[in-house]
Amino acid sequence: MTRMPGWLGRVGAGLTEMSERLDERRAEVEKEHAGPDVPPEAAAVPAPRPAPPAPRPDPAHAVPWGVRVAAEAGWRLLVLAGTVWVLMRVISAVQLVVFAFVVALLVTALLQPTVARLMRYGMPRGPSTALTAISGFVIIGLLGWFVTWQVMENIDTLSSQIQNGIDDLRNWLLKSPFHVTDKQINQIAKNLREAVGANTDQITSAGLEGVQVVVEALTGILLVFFSTLFLLYDGKRIWEWFLKLVPAAARPGVAGAGPRAWATLTAYVRGTVLVALIDAIFIGLGIYFLDVPMAVPLAVFIFLFSFIPLVGAVASGALAIVVALVTQGVFTALMTLAVVLAVQQIEGHVLQPFILGRAVRVHPLAVVLTVAAGAMVAGVGGAVVAVPLVAVTNTVVGYLRQYSQQAQAAPDPEPEAVETEVPSGEAPENTEGLAHQE
């Protein structure tokens, strides 16, 4: 029992001595790694940990402000372009229906004052609408029949005069200082005949497609007639039904923009008809006194072409000049050119500003671009309806901008005053619309 504690004491002393030696050896190794200039106290201090990296900024904040604005505007423009593209595809699929309805709106704007006048004289709405619509379309049909009859009556005389004019032109070219030879003229005529012969299939297919065009034209005329009839008779309720489709928040602005758009359309149609009638009368009288053949049909063509702003006047005037050139000679053609230019100058500087006034405020550059775009999209019909569409859009956008500014400046209305629902059978004062706007 007395020997065990002595043995354990010796073992413990040996372990303590070994531990001290290990500590001394560890201190020497650390001193060697720390370098000669580091004091022993500093060698025992652990090295500080590196600071954690700073968090990365949000990628949206890393993009420059200009790029962010351009991206925001860009995707919105893409959405709008896609919407317009889909809308144009839908319109092109039902182009005949859309064009017929737009023409019916133009005819309604022209005939609606007559319906209102007959109603003021005591005639009921139904008979006055039917009488006005039927009379208007009968007059339009008689004009078309008259032009066709005049052309058919004078086609033989005109053909002979054109042939004589071509012979005169040929002789003038032979004697002109341009040194044109008879062989060159014959070569040009040969090329024309070969071109016609090479395109016989296209000409034949165009003739076959003419039957389809006639069918579509008759369908469009029927659509225009019935649409005009219903717009004249029931335009007010059609406008009220349309207002119910508009969201309630935007309904007051649309209800105020509708009558102003209708007033602009009515002013445009009336002014255009009056200006076209004056052009046709004066140019027709001028070419009649110059002995140009088919003066009356040419005057009717000038009246119809005048519905295409700027471009129509130039085209109809050029047609009259060409007919005068090939039938009566260079002097008559120059006199016809003088008559056309004089009438168009009076129209542009006197008639249009006086008749249309400030109701239709569209810049001439916008008119030219609109007519060109309308012709590219929908042909002659698109060129006819493009300018009134732009004029109405300009009026609507201007009114809605003014209405929005007034709404922002005005104090918030009471909750009871926000109600904009149009009750059935009763319309607000500013939604007279198609049938009652004078």
Side-chain angles (χ1 to χ4, degrees):
M1 296 295 292
T2 58
R3 294 178 60 181
M4 289 295 296
W7 177 77
L8 288 176
R10 287 193 297 273
V11 171
L15 292 175
T16 301
E17 183 179 0
M18 185 180 297
S19 176
E20 291 177 354
R21 291 178 181 177
L22 289 175
D23 291 338
E24 292 176 359
R25 181 61 183 167
R26 186 182 299 110
E28 291 177 359
V29 172
E30 291 179 355
K31 184 176 180 181
E32 291 177 358
H33 286 286
D37 297 332
V38 179
E41 295 82 2
V45 178
R49 294 182 179 181
R56 294 183 178 181
D58 188 0
H61 296 289
V63 179
W65 175 254
V67 177
R68 293 174 62 184
V69 172
E72 293 283 341
W75 74 258
R76 286 175 170 83
L77 289 176
L78 288 177
V79 171
L80 290 177
T83 304
V84 171
W85 182 82
V86 172
L87 183 62
M88 294 300 296
R89 296 286 294 180
V90 173
I91 291 176
S92 63
V94 290
Q95 181 176 353
L96 180 62
V97 178
V98 175
F99 181 68
F101 181 75
V102 174
V103 173
L105 282 176
L106 298 177
V107 177
T108 303
L110 180 63
L111 299 180
Q112 186 272 330
T114 305
V115 176
R117 189 174 295 107
L118 291 176
M119 290 179 62
R120 284 197 298 267
Y121 290 154
M123 183 179 292
R125 174 178 296 278
S128 61
T129 300
L131 179 62
T132 304
I134 294 173
S135 301
F137 281 93
V138 165
I139 292 173
I140 295 174
L142 288 176
L143 285 175
W145 170 81
F146 178 76
V147 172
T148 305
W149 173 62
Q150 286 290 313
V151 172
M152 296 303 296
E153 284 289 324
N154 297 275
I155 190 67
D156 295 333
T157 305
L158 183 63
S159 298
S160 61
Q161 289 177 341
I162 290 175
Q163 185 62 43
N164 295 331
I166 293 174
D167 294 337
D168 294 339
L169 180 62
R170 176 192 181 105
N171 296 329
W172 180 81
L173 288 175
L174 291 174
K175 299 176 182 179
S176 66
F178 299 109
H179 305 291
V180 179
T181 63
D182 192 25
K183 182 179 179 180
Q184 292 174 336
I185 295 176
N186 292 332
Q187 184 64 34
I188 293 174
K190 181 181 178 182
N191 293 336
L192 290 175
R193 286 193 298 268
E194 291 178 354
V196 172
N199 294 292
T200 303
D201 295 336
Q202 288 82 352
I203 295 174
T204 304
S205 62
L208 295 176
E209 291 177 358
V211 178
Q212 181 181 358
V213 172
V214 171
V215 173
E216 291 182 356
L218 293 176
T219 304
I221 291 172
L222 291 176
L223 288 174
V224 170
F225 177 76
F226 285 107
S227 299
T228 303
L229 194 64
F230 284 108
L231 288 173
L232 286 172
Y233 180 75
D234 218 9
K236 179 180 179 181
R237 281 190 286 183
I238 293 174
W239 174 246
E240 292 175 1
W241 172 82
F242 175 76
L243 281 179
K244 292 179 182 180
L245 301 179
V246 180
R251 195 172 301 160
V254 176
R260 289 164 175 81
W262 183 251
T264 300
L265 183 62
T266 304
Y268 174 83
V269 173
R270 294 179 188 175
T272 303
V273 169
L274 186 56
V275 170
L277 187 61
I278 294 173
D279 285 351
I281 291 175
F282 284 97
I283 295 178
L285 288 175
I287 61 179
Y288 174 79
F289 287 115
L290 290 172
D291 291 331
V292 178
M294 294 196 307
V296 178
L298 285 175
V300 176
F301 276 116
I302 291 170
F303 173 78
L304 296 177
F305 274 82
S306 296
F307 284 91
I308 305 176
L310 298 180
V311 180
V314 174
S316 59
L319 177 62
I321 294 169
V322 169
V323 173
L325 176 64
V326 298
T327 57
Q328 298 295 326
V330 179
F331 177 76
T332 305
L334 292 176
M335 295 300 296
T336 305
L337 175 62
V339 171
V340 171
L341 290 178
V343 174
Q344 289 182 357
Q345 289 298 316
I346 295 174
E347 170 201 336
H349 294 87
V350 178
L351 295 179
Q352 286 191 355
F354 179 74
I355 295 175
L356 294 179
R358 304 179 67 86
V360 182
R361 291 174 290 181
V362 181
H363 196 274
L365 178 60
V367 172
V368 173
L369 296 179
T370 301
V371 170
M376 294 175 62
V377 173
V380 178
V384 172
V385 303
V387 176
L389 180 61
V390 170
V392 170
T393 304
N394 183 36
T395 300
V396 171
V397 171
Y399 172 78
L400 291 179
R401 184 187 301 114
Q402 182 181 3
Y403 177 83
S404 176
Q405 293 174 355
Q406 293 177 355
Q408 292 177 358
D412 294 336
E414 295 295 330
E416 296 83 10
V418 183
E419 183 66 30
T420 57
E421 182 72 23
V422 179
S424 59
E426 182 178 349
E429 294 180 358
N430 57 353
T431 59
E432 290 298 312
L434 302 174
H436 295 283
Q437 181 68 32
E438 305 208 10

